[in-house]
Amino acid sequence: MLIVRIAVGLVLAYVVLLVLAWLFQERLAFPAPRAALPDPTRVGVANGEQIALVMKDGTRLAGWYLRPTTGEDGDPSPSSAALLWFYGNGENIASIWPIVREFQPPHVALLVTDYPGYGGSGGRATEAGMYGAADAAYAALAARPEVDPRRIYVYGRSLGTAAATYTATHHPVAGVILESPFTNAADMARHAYRIFPSVIVRLSLDNLGRIKQVRCPVLLFHGTADRLVPLEMGMRIAAAARGPVELVLLQGSGHNESYTTGGTQYRDKVWGFVR
């Protein structure tokens, strides 16, 4: 009887875990760290400004817009290219603004917004909310008078790669930059939570399916020592793309070390791709 009770207890505990995983999987995928949006000028980003966007459902988003500059004078370039930036799931503008500033290509505008529930944005963090924020950010960037809407590039890192591939399949983009892309939510669940069946995964985050619809050039970075999102996933994304693809392996880089490991070579690759 003791063995039976233990077995029943283990089964019940597993069922409870399944229910919790079903209910709270969006919180696992979207931890949504909060932080006040920094003022660009106060942190030394002279060409930056705080922006406020409103999604179709009324959710207010906070973001940064970095004007394109031409060398030392800082004058805007007419009809500039632009880069739309989507960060990873544990980030927000307050935590990554030095990277955004460093990676802004010369003569190119840059826009980054906090997802719903993240940073200084309102709303709740969900997959649909992230895509809604991507739509609002793209529309705001394309409407800028100094931006050439035919030369908008998207950059996505980790979770942000899903926003980037979504944008590339719903709006005209000149190119897509992916860093540490995963294939989809089900594959990530199988990799990270092997104890649970993938059938309980409600999220899609289908980079693999969407990249097959992308015809523009793709620049893809992936760390060779990435244990969170295995390199094999990035290779599958690269192989599935229909347009020209350049795969850059960041030797020895884990998932959260790409900027430091890649250094200026990583940054210059991004700059060259957008130019």
Side-chain angles (χ1 to χ4, degrees):
M1 287 297 295
L2 179 60
I3 295 176
V4 171
R5 289 177 180 176
I6 292 174
V8 171
L10 290 174
V11 170
L12 289 176
Y14 182 67
V15 170
V16 170
L17 286 175
L18 286 178
V19 172
L20 291 174
W22 169 267
L23 292 174
F24 298 108
Q25 57 191 263
E26 278 195 314
R27 293 192 182 183
L28 292 173
F30 300 90
R34 285 288 192 180
L37 189 72
D39 184 333
T41 57
R42 290 188 177 183
V43 294
V45 184
N47 66 315
E49 64 180 88
Q50 291 179 320
I51 62 168
L53 305 178
V54 180
M55 291 169 48
K56 289 183 178 179
D57 65 0
T59 299
R60 294 184 63 83
L61 304 175
W64 268 24
Y65 176 71
L66 305 186
R67 297 180 300 277
T69 58
T70 56
E72 298 180 356
D73 57 12
D75 292 333
S77 302
S79 204
S80 298
L83 183 61
L84 186 55
W85 189 289
F86 299 110
Y87 52 63
N89 74 335
E91 300 172 332
N92 52 42
I93 296 174
S95 65
I96 66 161
W97 70 261
I99 295 169
V100 172
R101 177 189 59 184
E102 179 73 15
F103 272 68
Q104 181 186 14
H107 322 309
V108 174
L110 189 149
L111 177 65
V112 55
T113 61
D114 280 326
Y115 307 136
Y118 278 71
S121 290
R124 188 169 66 90
T126 64
E127 180 176 6
M130 181 176 68
Y131 297 150
D135 288 332
Y138 181 92
L141 188 58
R144 287 272 173 171
E146 67 273 22
V147 168
D148 183 349
R150 298 167 300 177
R151 298 169 62 205
I152 293 178
Y153 293 78
V154 292
Y155 170 96
R157 164 177 147 70
S158 192
L159 177 67
T161 60
T165 58
Y166 167 87
T167 303
T169 54
H170 287 76
H171 304 281
V173 300
V176 178
I177 305 169
L178 303 176
E179 201 259 278
S180 303
F182 53 88
T183 47
N184 52 52
D187 286 348
M188 280 298 295
R190 277 189 288 267
H191 170 69
Y193 304 101
R194 298 182 183 181
I195 189 175
F196 298 129
S198 58
V199 68
I200 71 168
V201 178
R202 292 182 287 110
L203 300 175
S204 173
L205 301 170
D206 189 11
N207 280 328
L208 186 61
R210 285 194 291 260
I211 200 68
K212 296 175 183 178
Q213 306 171 47
V214 173
R215 298 286 191 264
C216 65
V218 175
L219 174 62
L220 194 153
F221 297 93
H222 213 115
T224 59
D226 192 334
R227 295 184 179 181
L228 183 61
V229 179
L231 174 59
E232 182 267 340
M233 288 194 184
M235 301 288 283
R236 288 175 64 189
I237 296 291
R242 295 294 184 260
V245 180
E246 181 179 2
L247 174 63
V248 179
L249 299 182
L250 303 174
Q251 296 297 329
S253 176
H255 188 73
N256 294 315
E257 304 159 3
S258 52
Y259 295 130
T260 54
T261 302
T264 56
Q265 290 183 331
Y266 181 162
R267 184 202 66 184
D268 291 347
K269 271 288 184 184
V270 172
W271 285 9
F273 182 77
V274 174
R275 280 199 297 268

